[in-house]
């Protein structure tokens, strides 16, 4: 890897760490850059996953204030996400990428619909539950959220682009919670999924240590930048950023 390629990978790591902390989809920045340096697709994907782990942790630390009082929620969802992330990592090394390429843009599109309609859908869901004589909502989203997070985490362990969009879409609909606090949980869950996939890849997959280290340092810096920027965004602005990033993710995946 030349000096210019190394600088490009490092810069991509900063960008990925920043956008991952704010919303997700940082993989869409780093993955194409790694491919441009000549790495094979699977090696690039694995190296990217390993490198983004420190960035995810950095972003979660940056959102530590919004995580207060959510320990039990993080523990419950985290256990499910770990299982899903490991399953996705295994699928990456056993299934052809074409099997996911078709459905991934659809999943991201559905997540964007959930993000846009989340305020109205959440109100309508609570009114329906109250009219039926039930509780206004499950504090942890119930089994529907757990199943959704399991599938989203399997996708995250497989590729990870727009994983955060899927998380925010699901939690935003099924949890009666502030969007910034949901984003904080998303950062922790993304760190867990990337972490479990990274541990698995260390033992069974090929990766490029130079790329891993450059992305790791860059994404760690980006995680702190993203936390400072993202925490200041009003809910409507954050929602608009999520939608914009999600649309770009769909376009890039369809053209890939």
């Amino acid at each position: 890897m030349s000096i210019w390629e190394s600088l490009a990978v490092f810069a991509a790591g900063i960008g990925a760490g920043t956008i991952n902390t704010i919303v997700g989809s940082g993989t869409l920045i780093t993955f194409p850059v790694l491919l441009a340096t000549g790495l094979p697709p699977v090696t690039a994907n694995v190296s990217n996953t390993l490198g983004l782990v420190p960035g995810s942790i950095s972003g979660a630390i940056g959102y530590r204030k919004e995580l207060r009082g959510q320990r039990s929620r993080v523990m419950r969802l985290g256990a499910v996400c770990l299982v899903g992330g490991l399953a996705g990592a295994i699928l990456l090394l056993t299934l052809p990428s074409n099997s996911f390429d078709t459905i991934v843009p659809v999943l991201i599109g559905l997540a964007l619909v959930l993000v846009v309609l989340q305020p109205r859908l959440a109100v309508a869901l609570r009114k329906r539950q109250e009219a039926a004589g039930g509780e206004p909502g499950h504090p942890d989203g119930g089994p529907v959220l757990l199943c959704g997070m399991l599938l989203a985490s399997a996708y995250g362990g497989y590729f990870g682009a727009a994983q955060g969009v899927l998380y925010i879409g699901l939690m935003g609909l099924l949890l009666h919670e502030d969007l910034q606090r949901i984003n904080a949980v998303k950062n922790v869950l993304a760190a867990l999924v990337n972490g479990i996939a990274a541990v698995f890849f260390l033992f069974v997959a090929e990766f490029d240590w130079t790329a891993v280290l450059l992305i790791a340092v860059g994404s760690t810096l980006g995680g702190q930048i993203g936390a400072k920027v993202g925490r200041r965004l009003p809910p409507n602005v954050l929602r608009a950023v999520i939608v914009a990033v999600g649309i770009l993710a769909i376009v890039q995946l369809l053209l890939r």
Side-chain angles (χ1 to χ4, degrees):
M1 189 179 296
S2 70
I3 183 64
W4 297 111
E5 289 175 335
S6 297
L7 289 174
V9 172
F10 177 67
I14 295 176
T18 301
I19 198 66
N20 272 344
T21 302
I22 297 175
V23 53
S25 299
T27 291
L28 296 177
I29 299 175
T30 47
F31 186 66
V33 173
L34 291 177
L35 291 179
T37 66
L39 292 180
V42 173
T43 302
N45 197 8
V46 171
S47 301
N48 179 65
T49 299
L50 289 167
L52 288 179
V53 173
S56 298
I57 296 174
S58 177
I61 293 173
Y63 264 87
R64 59 189 179 278
K65 178 180 178 182
E66 286 76 13
L67 285 170
R68 292 173 184 169
Q70 299 198 82
R71 181 176 180 180
S72 60
R73 174 178 292 161
V74 169
M75 295 290 288
R76 186 182 187 201
L77 294 177
V80 172
C81 290
L82 283 174
V83 174
L86 180 59
I90 294 173
L91 287 175
L92 175 64
L93 302 182
T94 57
L95 294 179
S97 61
N98 291 339
S99 60
F100 265 51
D101 287 347
T102 302
I103 195 171
V104 165
V106 177
L107 290 175
I108 298 174
L110 290 175
L112 292 181
V113 172
L114 291 178
V115 170
V116 173
L117 300 181
Q118 181 265 328
R120 295 183 180 180
L121 290 175
V123 171
L125 183 61
R126 286 195 295 272
K127 287 183 177 179
R128 182 176 180 180
Q129 290 171 334
E130 292 171 355
E135 295 294 328
H138 195 289
D140 282 314
V144 176
L145 179 60
L146 292 179
C147 290
M149 296 298 282
L150 177 66
L151 295 175
S153 299
Y155 163 64
Y158 185 92
F159 184 49
Q163 174 189 0
V165 176
L166 295 175
Y167 281 168
I168 292 175
L170 287 167
M171 290 190 289
L173 176 63
L174 298 171
L175 295 177
H176 183 44
E177 188 61 86
D178 177 75
L179 190 59
Q180 289 287 5
R181 283 172 58 81
I182 287 175
N183 199 33
V185 174
K186 178 266 294 179
N187 285 328
V188 176
L189 299 181
L192 290 175
V193 170
N194 284 339
I196 191 66
V199 171
F200 175 74
F201 291 148
L202 280 173
F203 293 98
V204 300
E206 294 184 4
F207 49 89
D208 186 297
W209 269 118
T210 301
V212 171
L213 292 175
L214 288 170
I215 293 176
V217 176
S219 66
T220 299
L221 295 174
Q224 291 300 303
I225 296 172
K228 290 181 180 180
V229 174
R231 293 173 70 239
R232 291 185 173 89
L233 296 178
N236 289 338
V237 176
L238 179 58
R239 190 169 285 110
V241 172
I242 293 170
V243 172
V245 171
I247 291 174
L248 288 175
I250 292 174
V251 172
Q252 185 166 345
L253 287 169
L254 290 175
L255 295 177
R256 189 163 62 90

